[in-house]
Amino acid sequence: MPPGDLAIWFFIFAELLAFGIFFVAYAFARAHNVELFNESQQHLNIASGAINTLVLITSSYFVVRAVAAIKQNFSRECARWIAAAIGMGGIFLAIKLFELYAKFSAGISLSTNTFYMFYLSLTIFHFMHVILGMVILTAVMLKARSGGYSAKLHTGVETGASYWHMVDMLWIILFPLVYVIH
Amino acid sequence: MEITHKPHFIRPCTLVWLTLMSLTVTTYAIGEANLGGWAIMLTVLGTAVIKVQMVSSYFMGLRRTRRLWRGIVLGWLLLVAGLITIAYLSTIK
């Protein structure tokens, strides 16, 4: 069995499918508007996309450490690693909001062109998944802090961890696809 | 069976974390250098595929589960990356 509650895995696979279709749709839409996509992509902030990748990867690693901690029966340590991961999620959101604010201030919207329609909807859709992941991790952190998990019983920690890794995985594809490849 | 001593997956996961960070910096450098073309595209997308596989195998821990679960994620990954590659290569004249 995969780590965590089996139900979360059906949810994860549904999410992978939805994002997968979105990624492929982006690639084929680009194939029909190569110049427009290449030109619009030049205006994206690659540094902020890259920093956010580093931030999410690190937060995923923190969640790995949280799972390792609870497997040793260290509830408080587990809660602290999760809190650190949530903090990284907050940094991701702040950087993303800054980036989106810059785009909206420049008058860019979903109707600007096909590239921006994809850029905004893909990143905002992913943004909402980061928020959901942070909500799940917060619930797990609170339960861990109150000693609700142990070395033997910690399915909840692995469930939250699996969802958070998925959010990280999706950004690992989204970043090169939308910001770098042309 | 659960373990109560220090889990043996910490060290490999730390190495994976450092590798993922390095690969991200590489992708960023390629982006900042504004490099394009099919070879670059395949390199960057291939890097993303390796990174996702590392997250799935090590961080998610799917390498310790039945092949079915790994297979679903890997199948999804290869299908999506394959279709993206087809879409990109179709634009090269």
Side-chain angles (χ1 to χ4, degrees):
Chain A
M1 282 294 143
D5 196 301
L6 187 59
I8 198 75
W9 283 93
F10 288 105
F11 191 48
I12 287 173
F13 294 147
E15 299 275 31
L16 290 182
L17 192 62
F19 271 94
I21 291 168
F22 220 156
F23 292 153
V24 172
Y26 169 92
F28 280 95
R30 178 191 174 275
H32 290 103
N33 306 277
V34 178
E35 278 90 33
L36 171 81
F37 272 57
N38 286 352
E39 203 283 319
S40 305
Q41 193 187 46
Q42 296 288 318
H43 303 286
L44 295 190
N45 188 339
I46 303 177
S48 101
I51 292 168
N52 262 345
T53 313
L54 299 176
V55 166
L56 274 194
I57 287 170
T58 303
S59 77
S60 251
Y61 175 69
F62 288 169
V63 162
V64 168
R65 298 301 301 258
V67 172
I70 201 61
K71 286 192 172 185
Q72 296 168 87
N73 225 359
F74 299 153
S75 288
R76 293 208 157 265
E77 190 185 323
C78 168
R80 277 199 294 273
W81 280 113
I82 295 177
I86 296 169
M88 295 307 265
I91 293 173
F92 178 94
L93 294 183
I95 292 174
K96 204 79 206 71
L97 278 176
F98 188 73
E99 192 185 321
L100 288 173
Y101 176 74
K103 287 285 166 282
F104 289 131
S105 303
I108 287 161
S109 71
L110 283 170
S111 53
T112 299
N113 65 36
T114 314
F115 173 81
Y116 280 114
M117 190 273 287
F118 272 102
Y119 162 75
L120 290 174
S121 50
L122 260 172
T123 57
I124 293 171
F125 191 42
H126 181 269
F127 186 92
M128 291 189 291
H129 284 76
V130 175
I131 294 175
L132 177 59
M134 287 170 72
V135 170
I136 295 172
L137 288 183
T138 302
V140 173
M141 178 191 70
L142 293 176
K143 190 170 171 181
R145 194 176 277 170
S146 62
Y149 302 110
S150 67
K152 280 200 160 48
L153 282 170
H154 54 263
T155 309
V157 181
E158 290 185 327
T159 302
S162 299
Y163 187 83
W164 192 249
H165 294 317
M166 177 210 73
V167 171
D168 179 26
M169 251 167 58
L170 292 172
W171 185 261
I172 285 175
I173 299 182
L174 202 161
F175 167 60
L177 182 67
V178 177
Y179 290 71
V180 178
I181 293 174
H182 60 265
Chain B
M1 205 171 79
E2 296 303 337
I3 41 172
T4 47
H5 53 83
K6 202 169 169 92
H8 51 78
F9 60 81
I10 294 182
R11 198 179 147 78
C13 280
T14 303
L15 292 174
V16 162
W17 170 56
L18 294 172
T19 309
L20 290 170
M21 300 290 272
S22 318
L23 291 174
T24 301
V25 172
T26 309
T27 300
Y28 168 67
I30 290 173
E32 279 298 341
N34 204 14
L35 300 177
W38 65 268
I40 294 292
M41 179 262 156
L42 288 178
T43 306
V44 172
L45 191 62
T47 303
V49 166
I50 292 167
K51 285 164 79 181
V52 168
Q53 192 51 22
M54 283 176 140
V55 171
S56 132
S57 297
Y58 290 87
F59 284 9
M60 282 179 160
L62 291 185
R63 74 198 169 107
R64 298 189 300 271
T65 65
R66 286 170 57 194
R67 281 197 188 148
L68 169 74
W69 306 108
R70 272 179 290 165
I72 293 175
V73 176
L74 184 60
W76 167 82
L77 178 62
L78 294 180
L79 182 66
V80 169
L83 289 171
I84 291 171
T85 304
I86 291 169
Y88 273 73
L89 296 185
S90 73
T91 64
I92 295 170
K93 294 173 187 85

